Amino acid sequence: MTDAEWAQVRSVIPVPAWLLKRGGRPEAYCHREMLDAVRYLVDNGVKWMALPVDFPYWRAVYDFFRRWRSYDYVRELHERLRRTARERSGRNAEPSAGIIDSQSVDASETVGEDSRGYDGGKSRDGRKRHILTDTEGLLLEVTVTTADVHDSKAAPALLEEFMDEPGRLLKLVWVDSAYQGPAPAKAFARHGVRIEVVRRSDGQRGFVVLARRWVVERTLSWLSRSSCLNRDHERRPDHHQQMVWWAATIRLSRQMAGDAPRRPEKRPDRRPRTRA
């Protein structure tokens, strides 16, 4: 990550326990090196053992990833960045409205049969990630299920996961027609959240931009830019969930630092080509 991006991340990064004098062994590697290594793996989709030698030893990086998974640090890091980004744009730190959708992804042979399923509608044999975003497309929550789980059955758990944290202000969620039924209605009503279904107009065919729903679709496309999310190789569903949080953090930190990838000819420091 660039210096500008590190400046955004460093101010909100979770502090390890040993620095707070709460016990534990001091870490052997710099946090920036470890973050760079995990981000490289998520963004490029390489294997753990295939990390370039420029990074710390792959086993140390993997242990760092597992430690952050155990304490849910990457989710905490993303939430801090998200709140900061929303406040900079003149919004409340916590959103009052959101959008829910899901995406099925094929799984490789490393994913066991007990954590994979077949989505007949999308012809995908693997897992499904269910996400909740705010109206700007920033990730609020994600859960991972087998691909054969219907959206209406996964939505209550997704909402519960998000609303369990104190200080939530969510009051309205836009969804598609798959999220209708008594189970999601009961779960949303319990938290005082209203569901609004965004439907296609009668007679519409092909691709149509639907109000509100296009925001979450765009977020799913943002996440898919990270190669590790194009196909699921993780044996554990919670590892895949962590990969989604890492991908969302990469995208958000780049946006906040103004370091979005540019085409080579669009880079400000690139010398203009001269013809002979």
Side-chain angles (χ1 to χ4, degrees):
M1 76 181 85
T2 63
D3 291 340
E5 195 174 353
W6 171 241
Q8 300 293 330
V9 173
R10 185 177 184 178
S11 60
V12 295
I13 194 171
V15 180
W18 67 272
L19 281 178
L20 298 176
K21 309 299 182 182
R22 295 195 310 223
R25 184 174 62 182
E27 298 178 8
Y29 296 97
C30 159
H31 265 166
R32 183 173 180 176
E33 290 182 340
M34 288 301 204
L35 289 173
D36 276 339
V38 177
R39 287 161 57 102
Y40 179 89
L41 181 137
V42 173
D43 208 23
N44 294 278
V46 302
K47 298 179 181 179
W48 288 103
M49 296 180 67
L51 280 172
V53 295
D54 307 89
F55 296 117
Y57 181 53
W58 75 267
R59 186 71 203 190
V61 178
Y62 180 64
D63 289 341
F64 175 85
F65 172 83
R66 290 198 308 168
R67 185 163 60 252
W68 273 47
R69 179 213 69 206
S70 300
Y71 294 99
D72 221 5
Y73 279 160
V74 66
R75 181 177 184 269
E76 181 181 346
L77 173 60
H78 183 273
E79 286 217 334
R80 293 178 180 181
L81 288 172
R82 172 179 59 79
R83 293 189 182 106
T84 302
R86 286 181 57 87
E87 289 174 346
R88 287 181 182 177
S89 62
R91 295 170 174 261
N92 292 330
E94 286 295 329
S96 59
I99 312 102
I100 290 180
D101 204 355
S102 67
Q103 182 181 47
S104 297
V105 60
D106 285 321
S108 66
E109 69 280 357
T110 57
V111 178
E113 293 184 0
D114 58 334
S115 63
R116 67 191 297 162
Y118 185 76
D119 182 354
K122 301 295 178 63
S123 298
R124 291 283 186 266
D125 179 18
R127 292 183 179 135
K128 183 184 289 187
R129 41 183 177 254
H130 310 264
I131 68 169
L132 168 66
T133 72
D134 65 4
T135 54
E136 292 184 339
L138 303 181
L139 187 64
L140 300 178
E141 193 57 69
V142 56
T143 59
V144 176
T145 65
T146 58
D148 57 347
V149 174
H150 195 267
D151 293 347
S152 62
K153 294 183 179 179
L158 179 67
L159 182 69
E160 292 287 349
E161 190 76 18
F162 178 72
M163 298 299 290
D164 277 348
E165 297 292 328
R168 301 303 192 191
L169 304 175
L170 195 65
K171 297 298 180 184
L172 172 64
V173 171
W174 287 281
V175 297
D176 59 28
S177 57
Y179 291 91
Q180 300 179 93
K186 182 178 180 181
F188 279 66
R190 184 164 59 250
H191 292 283
V193 179
R194 182 167 58 89
I195 299 179
E196 186 172 317
V197 180
V198 181
R199 305 177 185 274
R200 282 171 170 262
S201 300
D202 294 338
Q204 285 183 333
R205 294 184 178 181
F207 175 76
V208 179
V209 177
L210 299 177
R212 300 298 181 179
R213 279 176 52 186
W214 69 269
V215 175
V216 68
E217 296 287 353
R218 182 185 61 178
T219 301
L220 290 171
S221 69
W222 283 342
L223 295 175
S224 297
R225 291 180 181 178
S226 295
S227 298
C228 73
L229 297 181
N230 293 333
R231 185 177 177 86
D232 190 2
H233 299 275
E234 301 300 321
R235 290 185 173 88
R236 298 174 48 149
D238 58 341
H239 278 199
H240 182 85
Q241 182 181 19
Q242 291 296 301
M243 293 295 185
V244 176
W245 281 116
W246 278 104
T249 302
I250 292 172
R251 193 264 163 192
L252 180 54
S253 61
R254 284 176 177 171
Q255 177 189 4
M256 294 176 65
D259 288 336
R262 300 184 179 92
R263 294 180 180 273
E265 63 272 15
K266 299 295 184 181
R267 293 174 184 166
D269 57 343
R270 184 179 176 86
R271 293 181 180 179
R273 179 183 299 179
T274 57
R275 295 183 178 180

